[in-house]
Amino acid sequence: MKSAIYIGQEHIEVVGYSGEAGGVKVSHYAYADLPERTMINGNITESSALAEQLTQLKLRYPRLFSDITLVIDSNALSVKEIPVPKLNHKRYLQTVREELNIKPGDDIVFDYDILRKPDGKTALLAISSPLSFLASYLDVFTEAGIKLSAVRVGSESIVAYIKSRKDLRDKTFVINIVDGISMHSVIFSNGQNVFSTRSRLAFDNEMSLIQSIANNYPSLVRFMSSEKLPEIENSYYLGLTDHQLEMLKMHGDNLHGFNLFGHSRRAAAAVTNTCHMSFIGAYNNGINLLDSLKNMKKYMREYKPLSPMWAIPAAGVMIIAALYLVPTLLTRPIQNEIDSINRWLNDPETNAKLNEIDEITNKTTNMIAVIIEMEEALLDGERYDQLSEELLNLLVTTDRNVIVETLRLDEMGIIILNGSSDTETDSARYVAMLSASDLVGDVSYTGYRYDNAERYRFSLQINLPIIESEEE
């Protein structure tokens, strides 16, 4: 028996199955809830908690962990379809590097699969992952004593699954997979993947969740219209309860649940749509990131640096050139100095340092602005007497990857903080560090989003600890 495992925002799901794509039969199924903040958008934030849950699942269902494939779905993965002529393997790899902007020396695991289009043309499905992102998963599974047979990518798995559905090949529709605070939407038309996007769901109750999900549909309709593509017939949703699906239907006649097992042979045991990604992963026999990682290490081993013996003839050339150039250089000391300065200014290392200085300057400017704002606030009245230099330092300097952009203290004595970070993980770590301090009561998010520069922006509400006044 083979198994596929998927780690979602709030749960772990495992499906045991037999057969291959097109004839999958589910025989076993396991599910476990995850502690809050263990995962954020496919990124592991609490590795020890995740490893513990995996260990417990393995002890309860050992048969499900003998030949297991991990399915990963995250915005940390880059997936791109690239039209190409017929080339050899090395040229395909070079094309992937260029299209995904992978530089020499980058710790990026990448690979491709060849797609045959209906018109006879060829395309590459190119996939890349930061090595640290993939390693975070592998480390957790190693800690849990689980050996992975393969690591598949969620986007490719969805495409492979839909291609196995002959009943959907002539239709234009959307598959929406809801997972915690995010939704992955993929549009298919005539059996082909047309467009995919991820949406962040903003909600504070079940009704606002459904509203946030429904609000995403019109933008997909507009996209198809702008690209002069066929009209969307239906929008299907996975990851919602039957009650939530009934609520969703009130927002449109073509918003439906999806029969995930419509063409598969499955056991009588109850299997719900909460196992969507693990079940879909059973249909993917494409890119295995474990093999991609091995190939990356192989390329690194095969790389041989240039032999230092080349320096001998080069030195001779330099000596001859020096005999000719020295008299000239002696007569042009000023020009030589100018050339030296230009070389220094154009040196990549110098530019990198200058960019680093600019970045530090920007961060320092933001910090100074926040400090000035706080100092002015301290003069505003007795309601700021709980703010101290120690608390200010905690908020501004706790995490170097977090930039605090604005701070204010409202009339209720609550700190409103707006900041940004490279990833959700940096933000989560920053919040955890604040929450652990005695200077802070509790911390909660009031908003978060990615801006156009792919920077993660967030807003926090920070309650200060209640300080009981001494009796006079």
Side-chain angles (χ1 to χ4, degrees):
M1 181 180 68
K2 298 180 180 179
S3 300
I5 184 170
Y6 172 71
I7 303 170
Q9 185 88 4
E10 301 167 337
H11 70 279
I12 302 173
E13 59 186 58
V14 192
V15 166
Y17 65 93
S18 57
E20 299 293 338
V24 171
K25 179 180 178 181
V26 178
S27 54
H28 291 79
Y29 170 58
Y31 180 96
D33 290 318
L34 282 175
E36 188 177 357
R37 295 182 180 176
T38 301
M39 301 289 296
I40 298 180
N41 287 346
N43 297 282
I44 301 171
T45 55
E46 294 291 345
S47 58
S48 58
L50 179 57
E52 175 63 23
Q53 291 291 337
L54 289 170
T55 302
Q56 294 301 320
L57 273 178
K58 182 185 177 184
L59 291 174
R60 291 173 58 193
Y61 308 98
R63 289 186 59 196
L64 284 174
F65 290 86
S66 59
D67 183 3
I68 191 161
T69 293
L70 170 65
V71 182
I72 302 178
D73 190 44
S74 170
N75 54 13
L77 299 167
S78 296
V79 181
K80 185 175 184 180
E81 189 172 308
I82 309 168
V84 291
K86 187 175 181 180
L87 301 170
N88 59 35
H89 174 64
K90 289 185 177 180
R91 292 291 301 277
Y92 282 149
L93 286 176
Q94 182 61 32
T95 300
V96 172
R97 289 191 190 99
E98 293 172 355
E99 290 291 331
L100 297 184
N101 196 28
I102 301 172
K103 302 293 191 300
D106 287 350
D107 285 333
I108 302 292
V109 179
F110 65 95
D111 213 331
Y112 69 88
D113 201 6
I114 297 178
L115 304 176
R116 305 297 181 188
K117 311 301 284 186
D119 57 4
K121 295 182 180 179
T122 301
L124 300 181
L125 182 66
I127 293 175
S128 71
S129 165
L131 178 58
S132 58
F133 173 78
L134 179 59
S136 68
Y137 276 90
L138 300 182
D139 290 344
V140 166
F141 276 82
T142 299
E143 183 179 347
I146 300 170
K147 182 179 180 181
L148 293 172
S149 301
V151 177
R152 308 291 186 186
V153 175
S155 299
E156 185 184 22
S157 300
I158 295 169
V159 173
Y161 168 77
I162 294 299
K163 284 187 176 180
S164 73
R165 293 288 299 263
K166 296 180 181 179
D167 57 319
L168 298 174
R169 288 182 182 174
D170 298 327
K171 301 180 182 300
T172 299
F173 60 94
V174 188
I175 289 289
N176 303 276
I177 299 178
V178 179
D179 187 6
I181 62 172
S182 65
M183 181 170 68
H184 187 178
S185 303
V186 187
I187 303 177
F188 290 89
S189 183
N190 297 319
Q192 297 296 309
N193 173 19
V194 174
F195 176 74
S196 65
T197 183
R198 296 180 188 275
S199 306
R200 187 175 300 278
L201 304 175
F203 61 94
D204 50 20
N205 55 49
E206 190 175 49
M207 183 174 294
S208 60
L209 166 65
I210 299 304
Q211 184 66 57
S212 182
I213 292 171
N215 288 344
N216 185 62
Y217 177 66
S219 63
L220 300 179
V221 173
R222 288 193 295 270
F223 167 79
M224 296 296 282
S225 176
S226 66
E227 296 295 319
K228 296 180 171 52
L229 294 170
E231 184 177 346
I232 296 174
E233 301 170 37
N234 290 293
S235 186
Y236 298 110
Y237 296 85
L238 290 166
L240 299 178
T241 65
D242 291 340
H243 174 65
Q244 290 169 340
L245 288 171
E246 287 299 321
M247 295 174 64
L248 186 63
K249 290 178 183 178
M250 298 173 62
H251 294 272
D253 294 336
N254 60 342
L255 309 184
H256 309 284
F258 184 68
N259 185 5
L260 189 68
F261 312 101
H263 71 316
S264 67
R265 296 174 291 117
R266 61 187 179 98
V271 180
T272 69
N273 277 349
T274 52
C275 73
H276 42 266
M277 284 305 298
S278 54
F279 178 77
I280 288 172
Y283 289 80
N284 185 5
N285 293 320
I287 294 172
N288 178 1
L289 290 179
L290 291 183
D291 291 337
S292 306
L293 179 59
K294 292 176 183 176
N295 290 336
M296 174 186 173
K297 293 179 178 178
K298 177 183 176 183
Y299 298 148
M300 292 175 66
R301 286 197 304 268
E302 290 179 348
Y303 173 75
K304 296 181 179 179
L306 192 62
S307 171
M309 294 300 291
W310 69 271
I312 297 177
V317 173
M318 292 176 66
I319 292 172
I320 296 173
L323 294 175
Y324 172 80
L325 292 174
V326 166
T328 303
L329 293 174
L330 289 175
T331 62
R332 300 177 62 190
I334 297 177
Q335 184 61 45
N336 181 54
E337 185 174 354
I338 292 173
D339 291 341
S340 177
I341 293 172
N342 285 333
R343 283 195 300 271
W344 182 82
L345 289 173
N346 294 320
D347 183 79
E349 184 176 352
T350 301
N351 289 327
K353 290 181 178 179
L354 290 173
N355 290 334
E356 184 178 353
I357 291 171
D358 289 340
E359 183 177 352
I360 293 172
T361 301
N362 290 334
K363 291 183 178 180
T364 303
T365 302
N366 286 332
M367 290 174 64
I368 292 173
V370 170
I371 291 170
I372 292 173
E373 184 178 350
M374 292 299 294
E375 288 177 345
E376 291 175 350
L378 285 170
L379 300 176
D380 195 30
E382 291 183 356
R383 66 190 180 92
Y384 298 102
D385 59 6
Q386 291 188 62
L387 295 178
S388 64
E389 183 177 354
E390 185 179 2
L391 175 58
L392 179 60
N393 287 334
L394 173 70
L395 297 176
V396 175
T397 64
T398 286
D399 193 317
R400 62 183 180 85
N401 293 324
V402 171
I403 299 176
V404 177
E405 297 174 347
T406 63
L407 274 175
R408 68 181 179 87
L409 190 67
D410 66 12
E411 292 77 5
M412 303 299 295
I414 298 173
I415 296 176
I416 308 301
L417 183 149
N418 293 307
S420 65
S421 58
D422 292 333
T423 66
E424 306 100 313
T425 304
D426 295 330
S427 169
R429 183 176 60 245
Y430 175 71
V431 170
M433 294 171 73
L434 290 184
S435 300
S437 173
D438 294 336
L439 299 174
V440 172
D442 62 338
V443 183
S444 59
Y445 284 96
T446 58
Y448 36 78
R449 65 181 177 84
Y450 271 101
D451 61 16
N452 293 333
E454 292 298 317
R455 188 161 180 83
Y456 185 72
R457 298 191 172 275
F458 60 89
S459 300
L460 301 178
Q461 176 176 296
I462 303 171
N463 294 310
L464 298 178
I466 298 174
I467 301 175
E468 297 182 0
S469 58
E470 296 181 358
E471 295 183 1
E472 296 182 358

